Amino acid sequence: VTQAVMCELRKTIEDSEILKEDDNHWPAPDRVGRQELEVVCGKEHISFTTSKIGSLSDVQASKDPYPLPASPGDPEGLRVFYYLVQDLKCFVFSLIGLHFRIKPV
């Protein structure tokens, strides 16, 4: 891919602020499945793992599997993860669509 595509990908990741999130209070992977995302952006390297998220209602219904008095879970961080994954899917599918649509001269 071109440098412009990589810059846009980096911008999408940085704008999402996913690098500020932590998956410690997200639902753990279960028998339904798991979602993983690994991000390397500059000198930062972070990896996220959570259970399969089917829809935004799954995010809103998420609760901390190990509740602590000061830790009600992290639905906001999980929401950031969910929207970033949706944005990345759209980005990749757009690139694939463009690849097959544009005819080289």
Side-chain angles (χ1 to χ4, degrees):
V1 293
T2 66
Q3 189 65 31
V5 171
M6 291 304 295
C7 286
E8 191 61 33
L9 181 62
R10 180 176 287 122
K11 182 179 176 292
T12 301
I13 292 169
E14 289 172 351
D15 288 351
S16 76
E17 298 185 342
I18 192 72
L19 298 172
K20 296 178 182 177
E21 301 301 331
D22 184 1
D23 66 353
N24 285 334
H25 299 290
W26 295 359
D30 55 16
R31 62 181 179 78
V32 175
R34 70 188 297 131
Q35 280 185 262
E36 296 182 41
L37 178 67
E38 186 171 0
V39 178
V40 179
C41 196
K43 293 184 178 183
E44 293 195 58
H45 183 186
I46 193 163
S47 180
F48 299 99
T49 304
T50 188
S51 62
K52 198 79 159 168
I53 301 172
S55 66
L56 190 56
S57 64
D58 293 343
V59 172
Q60 293 165 339
S62 73
K63 298 207 186 309
D64 189 351
Y66 309 106
L68 300 173
S71 174
D74 186 18
E76 184 57 37
L78 196 56
R79 186 176 294 114
V80 169
F81 174 82
Y82 174 78
Y83 282 124
L84 176 61
V85 168
Q86 296 305 311
D87 289 346
L88 293 176
K89 282 182 188 177
C90 287
F91 186 77
V92 169
F93 288 139
S94 295
L95 285 175
I96 291 169
L98 284 172
H99 173 75
F100 288 107
R101 224 174 278 140
I102 297 174
K103 305 282 187 220
V105 179

